[in-house]
Amino acid sequence: MSGDGGGGGGGGGATSSKPSLGFKVPDWYSSIWPEAKNIPDAWLTQGLSFDAKFPLGIVQPKNGPCGVLAAVQAVLISQCRKKENFSEKYKPSDEDLADAVVAILLQAAKGKEEKDDPIIVCTWSGKVGEAVNEIKCEKETQLKPLVFKNIKYFSGSGGCVLVVYSAALTRGVKQIKQDIISEGGETGSPLTIKAHNSWLCTSELISLLIRGKAGGNVGAFTLMGRPHNWGNMDLGVGLLTADEFKNGIVVCDALKSPKSPVWILHGGDHFTTLWSNEDLATSNDDNGDDEDKKEKELRSAHTYTFYHWNGLPPGGPRLSKITVKALNGIAPPAPKKRVESYFKPLPGEIESVVQAHPEDRKNKAGQYEKWRWEVMLAVDDPTVKGQERPKDMPKQPVFEQGPITSGEWRCRTCYADRFKTLYFKLNPAEATVCQGPCKLSRVEAGWSIWMEYDKLPPLQKAVLDRREAPKIKNILWTKFPGAEITWEEDKDFDGSPPSA
């Protein structure tokens, strides 16, 4: 993701020369694809047809168009969940798919400079992946009949490509270029990139499909640090991303709290879909007598049921039922300005978590909350830079170095300089002087200590959760901080967690 977003599809460079691919290549081809080559089979064989076993899921045999599939599925679910007979077993009709495509195109037509331009519906004029018919729709009332008449093109092979073409041409190449630049994207970037030998979706493409504007900044701030949010979110679809816990990118409020409880999940290199059949509270705040009664009831309900779809092997095709016990409610709105996330630790605070105890990792595989952890305490080091923690921020617990322990020991002084010296060895148990570069006595140098997970402060527990917990938990924690998250085990996937 470009701008303040992250991996899984930043902008690529523009292509200049017009390719020769065995058919008349349109001028807009390089605005969508990363190379002047034929479209990969992963896209050409991918239709927008739903799974027989899990009717709401779109199966994705090959890596590439996951973002498009997740966006179309999310828009469809956002619309269909309003129906009385909707559930995770709901079987979408051709009309439902047409409604989703129509909604995407109408959204793309909003807010562009050339307001009188027609909406464009693309179909294959011959071989899938080559020339297309660009059907102009002058009146909004004509759009649904036109899309429904041609729904076989969208549900069939290459249907995911036609959705992209239709949305891009409806928005207009010139407008898309302006959209991309407006949110920090590279001038001339296409809507897909090449990575891992595949053509992948960018955040700009996801944005085009769910809000009608190809701006790729999913964060709550611009590159200059000003507040940023997504407008025109009438389709009711949000996005949660692994970049929030990996890179500290705070997702903007419109994506984190959409109008419908439907999200695209960005795991870093893959997009999946999450939704709830229930309504969720939109805030933790109690607004007293002025608060909507339904909102008050929703806020008091701490347990929610979600369904997560991943259509790509090896983690799918899989529909997972996930239970979220939101003990701390939902995440608050994004701050008005960037918040410093690193503060210089005080002496005695835990400076870093080094590793899990090897025996625990081996004998209690996957149960990181039952492991012992090696931690390094901070000392007063003037070479370590960082702001002082604000006075209104809770203080971190302080621990004692304690008596000299038995067994091998890690030098605190050498550990602090490990990236300069590349020295990572432990000292023998009998060593009273560090054998590493510092050559200090053990008492002078200091050493790491071992602590059980339960005794670690919340800050260090959060670090380990990000490091060890399944990615699906970490992504959901960005919306439901500290929630208890469980799922029904699936024997077809050997009891493994839902894959994001």
Side-chain angles (χ1 to χ4, degrees):
M1 296 184 177
S2 60
D4 287 81
T15 55
S16 55
S17 60
K18 196 167 183 178
S20 176
L21 305 178
F23 62 97
K24 186 178 180 180
V25 179
D27 293 334
W28 45 260
Y29 195 85
S30 62
S31 297
I32 294 175
W33 304 115
E35 292 183 300
K37 295 182 178 180
N38 292 107
I39 304 169
D41 285 345
W43 290 79
L44 295 185
T45 60
Q46 183 68 64
L48 302 177
S49 55
F50 291 83
D51 188 51
K53 183 178 180 181
F54 304 109
L56 272 175
I58 302 175
V59 175
Q60 180 190 350
K62 297 181 180 180
N63 191 33
C66 57
V68 176
L69 306 183
V72 172
Q73 182 191 23
V75 171
L76 183 145
I77 290 173
S78 178
Q79 294 182 319
C80 290
R81 66 180 299 278
K82 303 169 187 175
K83 300 182 178 183
E84 291 184 1
N85 63 335
F86 180 80
S87 74
E88 69 281 3
K89 298 179 181 179
Y90 180 82
K91 186 175 182 179
S93 64
D94 285 347
E95 185 175 3
D96 292 330
L97 177 58
D99 285 338
V101 174
V102 167
I104 289 170
L105 299 185
L106 289 176
Q107 193 79 340
K110 288 183 178 180
K112 64 178 186 176
E113 292 183 1
E114 304 296 334
K115 299 183 184 300
D116 295 330
D117 283 355
I119 295 173
I120 305 297
V121 176
C122 292
T123 63
W124 300 117
S125 63
K127 185 177 179 181
V128 172
E130 296 188 354
V132 296
N133 301 309
E134 300 176 22
I135 308 172
K136 296 180 180 180
C137 182
E138 302 288 349
K139 296 181 179 180
E140 186 176 315
T141 55
Q142 298 172 344
L143 183 56
K144 181 175 177 179
L146 176 60
V147 172
F148 187 73
K149 177 183 176 182
N150 293 284
I151 199 64
K152 65 179 182 180
Y153 289 104
F154 293 97
S155 61
S157 296
C160 64
V161 176
L162 293 177
V163 169
V164 175
Y165 283 177
S166 300
L169 296 185
T170 295
R171 184 67 177 169
V173 171
K174 179 181 176 182
Q175 184 67 57
I176 285 176
K177 289 180 178 179
Q178 294 175 1
D179 292 346
I180 292 173
I181 296 171
S182 71
E183 296 193 4
E186 182 182 346
T187 303
S189 298
L191 294 174
T192 57
I193 63 166
K194 184 177 181 180
H196 313 298
N197 294 318
S198 301
W199 289 7
L200 306 178
C201 305
T202 62
S203 55
E204 286 83 1
L205 177 52
I206 301 299
S207 174
L208 174 64
L209 297 176
I210 67 173
R211 70 158 167 166
K213 178 183 178 181
N217 179 9
V218 304
F221 304 99
T222 66
L223 292 174
M224 302 302 293
R226 292 188 290 269
H228 172 260
N229 206 358
W230 279 23
N232 299 326
M233 297 299 290
D234 296 334
L235 300 185
V237 174
L239 180 141
L240 304 175
T241 174
D243 285 325
E244 180 151 351
F245 66 85
K246 283 184 175 181
N247 305 318
I249 296 167
V250 180
V251 171
C252 67
D253 294 336
L255 287 174
K256 188 170 287 187
S257 299
K259 294 180 179 179
S260 297
V262 183
W263 291 268
I264 296 170
L265 301 190
H266 172 235
D269 54 6
H270 186 43
F271 293 97
T272 56
T273 313
L274 178 86
W275 77 91
S276 177
N277 298 337
E278 318 157 34
D279 290 328
L280 274 66
T282 58
S283 170
N284 290 327
D285 299 329
D286 187 342
N287 296 317
D289 295 336
D290 295 331
E291 184 173 54
D292 180 82
K293 181 180 179 182
K294 182 179 180 181
E295 173 72 9
K296 190 182 290 289
E297 292 174 350
L298 292 173
R299 192 164 42 78
S300 65
H302 295 298
T303 302
Y304 306 109
T305 299
F306 292 93
Y307 294 92
H308 175 254
W309 173 256
N310 180 5
L312 179 68
R318 179 179 180 181
L319 180 67
S320 303
K321 184 178 181 181
I322 299 175
T323 301
V324 174
K325 190 173 183 180
L327 304 175
N328 302 311
I330 62 177
K336 299 299 182 182
K337 60 180 181 179
R338 291 186 190 275
V339 178
E340 179 66 44
S341 58
Y342 175 77
F343 301 100
K344 183 176 179 178
L346 300 177
E349 294 180 356
I350 294 178
E351 183 175 22
S352 63
V353 180
V354 181
Q355 65 169 345
H357 198 290
E359 291 182 2
D360 292 348
R361 186 178 285 275
K362 179 181 178 180
N363 298 330
K364 303 175 183 177
Q367 305 177 63
Y368 72 96
E369 293 163 309
K370 297 181 179 180
W371 298 347
R372 290 164 290 174
W373 292 91
E374 183 183 7
V375 301
M376 199 68 73
L377 301 181
V379 295
D380 187 12
D381 185 349
T383 65
V384 176
K385 305 298 181 182
Q387 295 186 16
E388 293 186 4
R389 189 176 292 111
K391 294 182 180 180
D392 59 350
M393 182 174 287
K395 293 183 178 181
Q396 294 296 309
V398 174
F399 300 90
E400 297 291 335
Q401 176 74 83
I404 291 178
T405 55
S406 59
E408 295 179 314
W409 57 281
R410 190 183 307 278
C411 173
R412 194 214 65 80
T413 302
C414 288
Y415 182 79
D417 291 332
R418 62 195 180 283
F419 296 120
K420 296 179 181 179
T421 64
L422 299 180
Y423 187 83
F424 301 93
K425 295 182 180 179
L426 295 171
N427 287 290
E430 65 276 9
T432 58
V433 175
C434 176
Q435 297 182 1
C438 78
K439 306 300 181 184
L440 296 174
S441 70
R442 181 169 181 176
V443 174
E444 292 177 291
W447 61 93
S448 61
I449 62 176
W450 291 91
M451 297 182 66
E452 296 177 355
Y453 176 90
D454 287 342
K455 295 181 180 179
L456 292 171
L459 184 61
Q460 277 67 43
K461 286 182 178 179
V463 170
L464 294 178
D465 289 340
R466 290 195 294 270
R467 186 189 301 179
E468 301 289 343
K471 186 178 289 186
I472 189 76
K473 279 191 173 184
N474 274 296
I475 294 176
L476 290 178
W477 279 327
T478 67
K479 173 66 179 177
F480 305 100
E484 292 182 4
I485 301 172
T486 56
W487 48 81
E488 292 183 353
E489 290 194 0
D490 192 322
K491 294 181 180 178
D492 292 338
F493 294 90
D494 300 321
S496 61
S499 174

